[in-house]
Tab-separated table of all heavy atoms in Angstrom:
chain	number	residue	atom	x	y	z
A	134	ALA	N	65.112	96.850	68.921
A	134	ALA	CA	66.548	96.933	68.704
A	134	ALA	C	66.901	98.229	67.975
A	134	ALA	O	67.910	98.852	68.295
A	134	ALA	CB	67.032	95.730	67.917
A	135	LEU	N	66.084	98.617	67.021
A	135	LEU	CA	66.377	99.847	66.284
A	135	LEU	C	66.266	101.082	67.173
A	135	LEU	O	67.050	102.025	67.031
A	135	LEU	CB	65.442	99.984	65.081
A	135	LEU	CG	65.673	98.986	63.959
A	135	LEU	CD1	64.620	99.162	62.872
A	135	LEU	CD2	67.059	99.129	63.368
A	136	GLN	N	65.315	101.068	68.083
A	136	GLN	CA	65.167	102.209	68.977
A	136	GLN	C	66.395	102.331	69.886
A	136	GLN	O	66.907	103.427	70.094
A	136	GLN	CB	63.910	102.066	69.820
A	136	GLN	CG	63.661	103.275	70.700
A	136	GLN	CD	62.381	103.168	71.488
A	136	GLN	OE1	61.724	102.141	71.472
A	136	GLN	NE2	62.026	104.229	72.176
A	137	ARG	N	66.866	101.219	70.396
A	137	ARG	CA	68.058	101.255	71.251
A	137	ARG	C	69.260	101.771	70.476
A	137	ARG	O	70.053	102.543	71.001
A	137	ARG	CB	68.360	99.865	71.808
A	137	ARG	CG	67.420	99.451	72.885
A	137	ARG	CD	67.849	98.154	73.490
A	137	ARG	NE	66.914	97.742	74.512
A	137	ARG	CZ	67.132	96.749	75.338
A	137	ARG	NH1	68.237	96.051	75.259
A	137	ARG	NH2	66.232	96.442	76.244
A	138	PHE	N	69.402	101.318	69.245
A	138	PHE	CA	70.527	101.783	68.432
A	138	PHE	C	70.414	103.285	68.189
A	138	PHE	O	71.405	104.006	68.236
A	138	PHE	CB	70.553	101.030	67.098
A	138	PHE	CG	71.713	101.403	66.230
A	138	PHE	CD1	72.998	100.999	66.552
A	138	PHE	CD2	71.526	102.172	65.100
A	138	PHE	CE1	74.069	101.352	65.757
A	138	PHE	CE2	72.590	102.532	64.299
A	138	PHE	CZ	73.867	102.115	64.632
A	139	GLY	N	69.206	103.764	67.944
A	139	GLY	CA	69.005	105.193	67.724
A	139	GLY	C	69.354	106.015	68.948
A	139	GLY	O	69.984	107.073	68.839
A	140	VAL	N	68.963	105.540	70.114
A	140	VAL	CA	69.286	106.245	71.351
A	140	VAL	C	70.794	106.243	71.574
A	140	VAL	O	71.386	107.250	71.961
A	140	VAL	CB	68.546	105.605	72.548
A	140	VAL	CG1	69.039	106.171	73.861
A	140	VAL	CG2	67.050	105.800	72.401
A	141	PHE	N	71.429	105.111	71.303
A	141	PHE	CA	72.884	105.018	71.450
A	141	PHE	C	73.579	106.005	70.519
A	141	PHE	O	74.479	106.736	70.923
A	141	PHE	CB	73.343	103.588	71.156
A	141	PHE	CG	74.836	103.434	71.153
A	141	PHE	CD1	75.537	103.384	72.342
A	141	PHE	CD2	75.531	103.357	69.963
A	141	PHE	CE1	76.914	103.238	72.348
A	141	PHE	CE2	76.909	103.226	69.956
A	141	PHE	CZ	77.601	103.167	71.144
A	142	GLU	N	73.163	106.044	69.265
A	142	GLU	CA	73.770	106.960	68.294
A	142	GLU	C	73.568	108.416	68.706
A	142	GLU	O	74.455	109.238	68.550
A	142	GLU	CB	73.191	106.720	66.896
A	142	GLU	CG	73.761	105.503	66.220
A	142	GLU	CD	75.254	105.608	65.972
A	142	GLU	OE1	75.715	106.651	65.468
A	142	GLU	OE2	75.963	104.646	66.287
A	143	ALA	N	72.415	108.743	69.237
A	143	ALA	CA	72.163	110.107	69.689
A	143	ALA	C	73.104	110.469	70.832
A	143	ALA	O	73.611	111.592	70.893
A	143	ALA	CB	70.712	110.249	70.127
A	144	GLY	N	73.344	109.528	71.720
A	144	GLY	CA	74.273	109.775	72.825
A	144	GLY	C	75.693	109.984	72.339
A	144	GLY	O	76.394	110.873	72.805
A	145	VAL	N	76.108	109.187	71.378
A	145	VAL	CA	77.457	109.336	70.818
A	145	VAL	C	77.586	110.687	70.122
A	145	VAL	O	78.579	111.395	70.286
A	145	VAL	CB	77.762	108.173	69.845
A	145	VAL	CG1	79.057	108.434	69.094
A	145	VAL	CG2	77.845	106.864	70.596
A	146	ALA	N	76.573	111.069	69.369
A	146	ALA	CA	76.613	112.351	68.650
A	146	ALA	C	76.658	113.523	69.628
A	146	ALA	O	77.354	114.502	69.392
A	146	ALA	CB	75.412	112.464	67.727
A	147	SER	N	75.934	113.405	70.739
A	147	SER	CA	75.896	114.518	71.686
A	147	SER	C	77.229	114.698	72.406
A	147	SER	O	77.559	115.804	72.819
A	147	SER	CB	74.774	114.325	72.696
A	147	SER	OG	75.060	113.267	73.568
A	148	THR	N	78.012	113.628	72.568
A	148	THR	CA	79.302	113.768	73.248
A	148	THR	C	80.353	114.399	72.358
A	148	THR	O	81.385	114.835	72.843
A	148	THR	CB	79.814	112.408	73.733
A	148	THR	OG1	79.999	111.541	72.623
A	148	THR	CG2	78.879	111.790	74.735
A	149	LYS	N	80.093	114.482	71.070
A	149	LYS	CA	81.071	115.095	70.166
A	149	LYS	C	81.094	116.612	70.293
A	149	LYS	O	82.037	117.245	69.851
A	149	LYS	CB	80.776	114.680	68.728
A	149	LYS	CG	81.053	113.214	68.498
A	149	LYS	CD	80.780	112.801	67.085
A	149	LYS	CE	81.055	111.310	66.926
A	149	LYS	NZ	80.743	110.835	65.597
A	150	ASP	N	80.046	117.201	70.888
A	150	ASP	CA	80.020	118.646	71.104
A	150	ASP	C	80.182	118.897	72.600
A	150	ASP	O	79.247	118.705	73.367
A	150	ASP	CB	78.698	119.233	70.613
A	150	ASP	CG	78.722	120.748	70.620
A	150	ASP	OD1	79.696	121.339	71.136
A	150	ASP	OD2	77.761	121.347	70.111
A	151	PRO	N	81.374	119.301	73.038
A	151	PRO	CA	81.644	119.421	74.474
A	151	PRO	C	80.751	120.419	75.201
A	151	PRO	O	80.570	120.317	76.398
A	151	PRO	CB	83.106	119.858	74.545
A	151	PRO	CG	83.563	120.073	73.177
A	151	PRO	CD	82.520	119.612	72.224
A	152	ALA	N	80.175	121.372	74.488
A	152	ALA	CA	79.313	122.346	75.160
A	152	ALA	C	78.108	121.674	75.794
A	152	ALA	O	77.605	122.128	76.817
A	152	ALA	CB	78.860	123.403	74.161
A	153	TYR	N	77.653	120.589	75.207
A	153	TYR	CA	76.490	119.892	75.743
A	153	TYR	C	76.862	118.873	76.806
A	153	TYR	O	75.988	118.343	77.472
A	153	TYR	CB	75.727	119.194	74.616
A	153	TYR	CG	75.108	120.163	73.655
A	153	TYR	CD1	75.593	120.285	72.368
A	153	TYR	CD2	74.042	120.967	74.054
A	153	TYR	CE1	75.034	121.190	71.478
A	153	TYR	CE2	73.476	121.873	73.173
A	153	TYR	CZ	73.967	121.979	71.900
A	153	TYR	OH	73.420	122.875	71.031
A	154	VAL	N	78.142	118.592	76.965
A	154	VAL	CA	78.570	117.584	77.936
A	154	VAL	C	79.293	118.238	79.107
A	154	VAL	O	78.930	118.051	80.253
A	154	VAL	CB	79.495	116.537	77.271
A	154	VAL	CG1	79.962	115.507	78.288
A	154	VAL	CG2	78.778	115.866	76.120
A	155	VAL	N	80.302	119.039	78.823
A	155	VAL	CA	81.165	119.583	79.868
A	155	VAL	C	80.462	120.670	80.676
A	155	VAL	O	80.527	120.671	81.904
A	155	VAL	CB	82.467	120.127	79.245
A	155	VAL	CG1	83.339	120.766	80.305
A	155	VAL	CG2	83.211	119.005	78.545
A	156	VAL	N	79.782	121.566	80.005
A	156	VAL	CA	79.149	122.688	80.710
A	156	VAL	C	78.108	122.208	81.718
A	156	VAL	O	78.154	122.623	82.879
A	156	VAL	CB	78.562	123.706	79.704
A	156	VAL	CG1	77.778	124.787	80.429
A	156	VAL	CG2	79.670	124.316	78.865
A	157	PRO	N	77.164	121.322	81.345
A	157	PRO	CA	76.210	120.848	82.355
A	157	PRO	C	76.875	120.113	83.519
A	157	PRO	O	76.451	120.237	84.664
A	157	PRO	CB	75.292	119.911	81.573
A	157	PRO	CG	75.416	120.336	80.158
A	157	PRO	CD	76.817	120.830	80.016
A	158	GLN	N	77.936	119.361	83.236
A	158	GLN	CA	78.635	118.647	84.313
A	158	GLN	C	79.266	119.639	85.274
A	158	GLN	O	79.189	119.482	86.486
A	158	GLN	CB	79.710	117.730	83.740
A	158	GLN	CG	79.159	116.509	83.071
A	158	GLN	CD	80.238	115.658	82.430
A	158	GLN	OE1	81.386	116.073	82.306
A	158	GLN	NE2	79.863	114.479	81.995
A	159	ARG	N	79.898	120.679	84.753
A	159	ARG	CA	80.521	121.676	85.621
A	159	ARG	C	79.477	122.420	86.444
A	159	ARG	O	79.723	122.743	87.604
A	159	ARG	CB	81.327	122.667	84.777
A	159	ARG	CG	82.592	122.053	84.239
A	159	ARG	CD	83.406	123.047	83.472
A	159	ARG	NE	84.613	122.413	82.946
A	159	ARG	CZ	85.384	122.959	82.045
A	159	ARG	NH1	85.109	124.138	81.539
A	159	ARG	NH2	86.459	122.324	81.623
A	160	GLU	N	78.317	122.682	85.858
A	160	GLU	CA	77.251	123.345	86.595
A	160	GLU	C	76.773	122.475	87.757
A	160	GLU	O	76.551	122.982	88.855
A	160	GLU	CB	76.079	123.663	85.664
A	160	GLU	CG	76.344	124.829	84.743
A	160	GLU	CD	76.501	126.132	85.491
A	160	GLU	OE1	75.709	126.409	86.417
A	160	GLU	OE2	77.435	126.874	85.153
A	161	ARG	N	76.605	121.178	87.526
A	161	ARG	CA	76.169	120.282	88.602
A	161	ARG	C	77.198	120.228	89.725
A	161	ARG	O	76.849	120.244	90.901
A	161	ARG	CB	75.910	118.881	88.054
A	161	ARG	CG	74.589	118.752	87.352
A	161	ARG	CD	74.240	117.300	87.110
A	161	ARG	NE	75.173	116.641	86.199
A	161	ARG	CZ	75.043	116.601	84.888
A	161	ARG	NH1	74.011	117.182	84.314
A	161	ARG	NH2	75.925	115.985	84.144
A	162	VAL	N	78.475	120.180	89.362
A	162	VAL	CA	79.537	120.136	90.373
A	162	VAL	C	79.542	121.431	91.171
A	162	VAL	O	79.635	121.416	92.391
A	162	VAL	CB	80.913	119.889	89.711
A	162	VAL	CG1	82.038	120.127	90.694
A	162	VAL	CG2	80.980	118.494	89.150
A	163	ARG	N	79.404	122.545	90.474
A	163	ARG	CA	79.414	123.840	91.138
A	163	ARG	C	78.246	123.961	92.118
A	163	ARG	O	78.403	124.444	93.235
A	163	ARG	CB	79.350	124.961	90.093
A	163	ARG	CG	79.629	126.341	90.657
A	163	ARG	CD	79.764	127.362	89.555
A	163	ARG	NE	78.606	127.420	88.702
A	163	ARG	CZ	77.553	128.235	88.927
A	163	ARG	NH1	77.551	129.031	89.955
A	163	ARG	NH2	76.538	128.226	88.088
A	164	ARG	N	77.064	123.490	91.711
A	164	ARG	CA	75.888	123.563	92.582
A	164	ARG	C	76.017	122.617	93.778
A	164	ARG	O	75.555	122.941	94.865
A	164	ARG	CB	74.625	123.224	91.794
A	164	ARG	CG	74.123	124.392	91.012
A	164	ARG	CD	72.771	124.087	90.427
A	164	ARG	NE	72.922	124.192	88.960
A	164	ARG	CZ	72.466	123.343	88.079
A	164	ARG	NH1	71.787	122.305	88.444
A	164	ARG	NH2	72.668	123.535	86.802
A	165	SER	N	76.648	121.469	93.578
A	165	SER	CA	76.749	120.495	94.660
A	165	SER	C	77.759	120.933	95.722
A	165	SER	O	77.700	120.470	96.858
A	165	SER	CB	77.126	119.123	94.126
A	165	SER	OG	78.451	119.124	93.643
A	166	ARG	N	78.664	121.817	95.391
A	166	ARG	CA	79.676	122.278	96.349
A	166	ARG	C	79.145	123.375	97.263
A	166	ARG	O	79.794	123.743	98.220
A	166	ARG	CB	80.909	122.782	95.617
A	166	ARG	CG	81.679	121.672	94.962
A	166	ARG	CD	82.926	122.178	94.324
A	166	ARG	NE	83.661	121.083	93.700
A	166	ARG	CZ	84.711	121.256	92.941
A	166	ARG	NH1	85.159	122.461	92.681
A	166	ARG	NH2	85.318	120.212	92.421
A	167	ARG	N	77.981	123.917	96.965
A	167	ARG	CA	77.438	125.010	97.798
A	167	ARG	C	76.895	124.506	99.076
A	167	ARG	O	76.490	123.493	99.351
A	167	ARG	CB	76.326	125.729	97.024
A	167	ARG	CG	76.884	126.536	95.899
A	167	ARG	CD	75.763	127.276	95.225
A	167	ARG	NE	76.323	128.047	94.114
A	167	ARG	CZ	75.591	128.798	93.354
A	167	ARG	NH1	74.312	128.904	93.542
A	167	ARG	NH2	76.142	129.469	92.369
């Protein structure tokens, strides 16, 4: 249970910095349109 909570918290923390969320998503979209 503690490991799951830790993974969840890490995911929440990573979404607070848009550079780690938005930029990779835009790159995937850009590559998929080619």
